[in-house]
Amino acid sequence: MHYISTRDNTLKRTAAQAIAQGLADDGGLFLPSQLPNFTPEHWQTFAQMTYAQRAANIMALFLPEFSCEELEILCAKAYSNFNDPAVAKVVTVGDDCLLELWHGPTHAFKDMALQALPHLLTASLRKTGETRTACILVATSGDTGIAAMNGFRDVDGTKAMVFYPQDGVSAVQQLQMTTQEGENLGVCAVKGNFDDAQSGIKTIFADKELQAQLSAQNCFFSSANSINWGRVLPQIVYYISAYVDMVEQDKLKIGETFNICVPTGNFGNILAAYYAKQLGAPIGKLLCASNQNDVLTDFINSGTYDKRRDFYTTVSPSMDILISSNLERALYALSNNDSKAVKNWMAQLKTNGHYTVNDDVKAKLQEQFYAAACDEATTKATIADIWARYQYLLDPHTAVGYNVAQGYKAEAGDNAPMLIVSTASPFKFAGAVLSALGEGTDGNHEQALAALTGWQVPESIAKLADKKIRFTECVAVNEMRGVVERFAAM
Ligand SMILES: *Cc1c(COP(=O)(O)O)cnc(C)c1O
């Protein structure tokens, strides 16, 4: 097995090279040349394993240069900071299972990959003989930034610089980032939205002069965004782990088909579910849930991706995205590995702001995926409704997924068991959750939400108010280059 680019499948890289590099030379995304051979029966042995052991066994299939023992040590480290022994926890709410992916140190699902990536990356650098420092640039709509900072904090051979949209993150997300400790970290607000910050970083990645300058300082650019294969791979694990746990909890029979609903922004999380299905997990429909920024819903339903539309700032900010990077990997698979077609669509998106896939790809897309959007009022009503009915608190992202899952069941008459992915702790978005529950939002949101519901504020969030703010810079998009230049020289 080697790694190819979605835009050129004659490219040949090792897994370690793909992870160390992040983005392929031609701007495409790295993918394994073929899926590993695997017998799903093997998963029955997973029932007795810890989450970290499950992760090592699955990741080893995709990483030929890593031994399973090496990965077990790496994964044990990565998943030691979670506040629940299950790490990725399956709970039952009403008729559905929810997969809680927010028991990590920053309380959103990004920890599932970003606690592992720094270790994967440093091991990959050693394997490729790279001795320069990896200068990680991150654009974030909130959760990726803090999870990357937490994961890369004081990791040798790395430094990480995060850019977030000035008005596009929650109060907790902003405090988590601006108070994060670690000598090798930086964070800066950008005057613009997530797509502005992301395109600012893409411009910097393509800046040959800056690259040369960095190289002279013994540094090189790398990425911790979900374009990096090292982000997608750890996410495949929890879908297989959830399948094993659902069987253990008698929610499913072995081999019985279940559907998965994922609140989606950059298409990374749902893409991992698609790979879990390709590996043999008995997954039926993959439900792609959008918020008011419904570019993916329109794409899946029409075959036309069109980013020329208004951008909305919503109560589920981590899904406020118009350019969904990881869709490119799904297009590659659904077009029978047609890297020329993918390259062409991505070029059209860049120049014209839209593209349309052919009928064959559209049919395959709709066979695998169902898509619907959930507006702001419905998101809030869902939070209130589920609290009233089941005393279960949904964060706004998960509420979008929850609502879309119910809509699908009613519309399709499909009663297969449903796994809804719960992507963040409600305390990360306590202001929005409180207001959804009809409460005022004066004073400390997290304490108020805890007092109202009896749920506990996660310890690291409760402590945020007492922490010192270390980073206050806010720049225009065209000033990001200067920030990176100074950060790299530090
Ligand atoms: C990042 C994020 C999402 C969207 O995930 P993608 O992989 O970008 O589709 C959804 N919910 C939360 C809480 C997130 O942090």
Side-chain angles (χ1 to χ4, degrees):
M1 176 193 287
H2 61 271
Y3 280 74
I4 53 105
S5 160
T6 46
R7 300 184 195 180
D8 175 8
N9 55 20
T10 63
L11 192 92
K12 242 184 163 165
R13 294 283 182 275
T14 64
Q17 282 171 333
I19 291 170
Q21 207 177 319
L23 196 65
D25 312 272
D26 58 4
L29 309 189
F30 285 116
L31 268 186
S33 55
Q34 77 217 45
L35 284 175
N37 283 327
F38 200 57
T39 43
E41 288 71 45
H42 180 69
W43 294 340
Q44 287 163 39
T45 63
F46 283 12
Q48 315 311 323
M49 291 185 190
T50 63
Y51 186 83
Q53 289 168 326
R54 293 175 185 180
N57 273 277
I58 294 165
M59 283 162 57
L61 300 170
F62 290 90
L63 303 173
E65 310 105 280
F66 289 68
S67 71
C68 198
E69 293 70 38
E70 180 181 14
L71 286 167
E72 280 205 22
I73 295 168
L74 190 155
C75 291
K77 246 193 259 170
Y79 298 110
S80 63
N81 296 328
F82 282 62
N83 69 11
D84 191 289
V87 179
K89 188 176 188 176
V90 176
V91 300
T92 302
V93 177
D95 299 332
D96 305 302
C97 289
L98 258 67
L99 177 57
E100 293 181 348
L101 298 178
W102 39 262
H103 293 287
T106 75
H107 307 292
F109 90 89
K110 304 295 195 292
D111 288 328
M112 300 300 304
L114 279 164
Q115 287 294 310
L117 180 68
H119 304 298
L120 274 175
L121 181 69
T122 47
S124 297
L125 295 178
R126 277 197 304 274
K127 287 177 201 291
T128 55
E130 179 62 70
T131 54
R132 296 173 297 171
T133 298
C135 180
I136 320 275
L137 301 184
V138 181
T140 184
S141 49
D143 294 324
T144 300
I146 179 59
M149 291 175 84
N150 192 295
F152 280 100
R153 173 184 177 176
D154 297 326
V155 171
D156 283 346
T158 70
K159 43 171 53 179
M161 179 75 218
V162 172
F163 292 96
Y164 69 91
Q166 183 183 20
D167 300 317
V169 300
S170 82
V172 167
Q173 288 176 316
Q174 184 169 18
L175 263 185
Q176 284 182 311
M177 289 188 280
T178 56
T179 62
Q180 174 66 47
E181 288 148 32
E183 289 310 307
N184 61 338
L185 306 176
V187 62
C188 178
V190 176
K191 295 172 189 149
N193 62 34
F194 170 75
D195 289 315
D196 297 325
Q198 174 90 295
S199 68
I201 284 188
K202 282 191 181 151
T203 309
I204 292 169
F205 275 136
D207 188 327
K208 292 278 184 285
E209 196 187 314
L210 194 53
Q211 271 170 20
Q213 200 176 316
L214 241 74
S215 199
Q217 294 162 339
N218 215 24
C219 277
F220 72 102
F221 286 134
S222 187
S223 168
N225 276 105
S226 58
I227 52 174
N228 193 315
W229 178 252
R231 276 282 300 278
V232 178
L233 179 56
Q235 298 187 342
I236 299 173
V237 174
Y238 49 72
Y239 290 107
I240 292 166
S241 176
Y243 165 57
V244 173
D245 288 341
M246 284 167 81
V247 170
E248 284 291 293
Q249 294 180 17
D250 279 334
K251 302 288 169 197
L252 274 184
K253 295 182 197 52
I254 290 177
E256 182 183 353
T257 299
F258 66 108
N259 299 321
I260 296 182
C261 182
V262 188
T264 306
N266 225 347
F267 214 77
N269 203 356
I270 194 167
L271 178 82
Y274 172 80
Y275 288 131
K277 181 174 177 178
Q278 304 310 307
L279 279 183
I283 297 165
K285 267 290 192 233
L286 296 158
L287 283 64
C288 171
S290 309
N291 67 16
Q292 196 181 359
N293 295 296
D294 55 359
V295 62
L296 282 167
T297 297
D298 286 351
F299 172 61
I300 291 169
N301 291 328
S302 71
T304 296
Y305 195 100
D306 193 343
K307 67 162 185 160
R308 299 167 303 169
R309 59 180 69 215
D310 290 337
F311 179 95
Y312 301 103
T313 301
T314 72
V315 289
S316 45
S318 302
M319 296 155 68
D320 292 346
I321 290 173
L322 294 183
I323 304 170
S324 201
S325 310
N326 262 303
L327 185 60
E328 184 168 343
R329 288 192 167 105
L331 291 176
Y332 178 81
L334 296 171
S335 65
N336 288 329
N337 307 347
D338 188 347
S339 54
K340 288 207 181 71
V342 173
K343 186 176 176 179
N344 194 359
W345 291 323
M346 294 304 121
Q348 287 177 36
L349 182 63
K350 192 160 184 209
T351 2
N352 311 328
H354 63 101
Y355 63 88
T356 300
V357 296
N358 59 41
D359 287 345
D360 182 50
V361 171
K362 181 177 157 188
K364 285 201 186 117
L365 191 66
Q366 294 178 347
E367 186 187 309
Q368 299 290 334
F369 298 94
Y370 163 91
C374 176
D375 64 26
E376 293 285 275
T378 311
T379 304
K380 290 182 184 166
T382 303
I383 294 172
D385 182 41
I386 298 316
W387 175 250
R389 273 204 273 170
Y390 306 116
Q391 286 75 59
Y392 187 88
L393 267 186
L394 298 171
D395 97 283
H397 304 77
T398 310
V400 167
Y402 193 94
N403 175 262
V404 167
Q406 309 315 316
Y408 167 78
K409 283 192 277 187
E411 188 182 313
D414 178 349
N415 289 322
M418 180 72 73
L419 181 72
I420 300 164
V421 178
S422 175
T423 51
S425 157
F427 287 97
K428 274 197 104 158
F429 305 94
V433 174
L434 271 178
S435 97
L437 297 177
E439 297 294 313
T441 50
D442 296 339
N444 181 308
H445 295 168
E446 295 76 41
Q447 301 301 345
L449 186 59
L452 181 72
T453 60
W455 280 40
Q456 248 182 2
V457 189
E459 201 180 312
S460 69
I461 293 182
K463 283 189 190 148
L464 277 176
D466 302 327
K467 288 184 77 178
K468 188 166 152 270
I469 294 183
R470 298 181 60 208
F471 305 98
T472 52
E473 205 175 359
C474 179
V475 302
V477 176
N478 63 7
E479 294 168 322
M480 288 169 63
R481 187 186 194 274
V483 173
V484 170
E485 217 174 346
R486 286 197 304 281
F487 176 71
M490 252 170 41

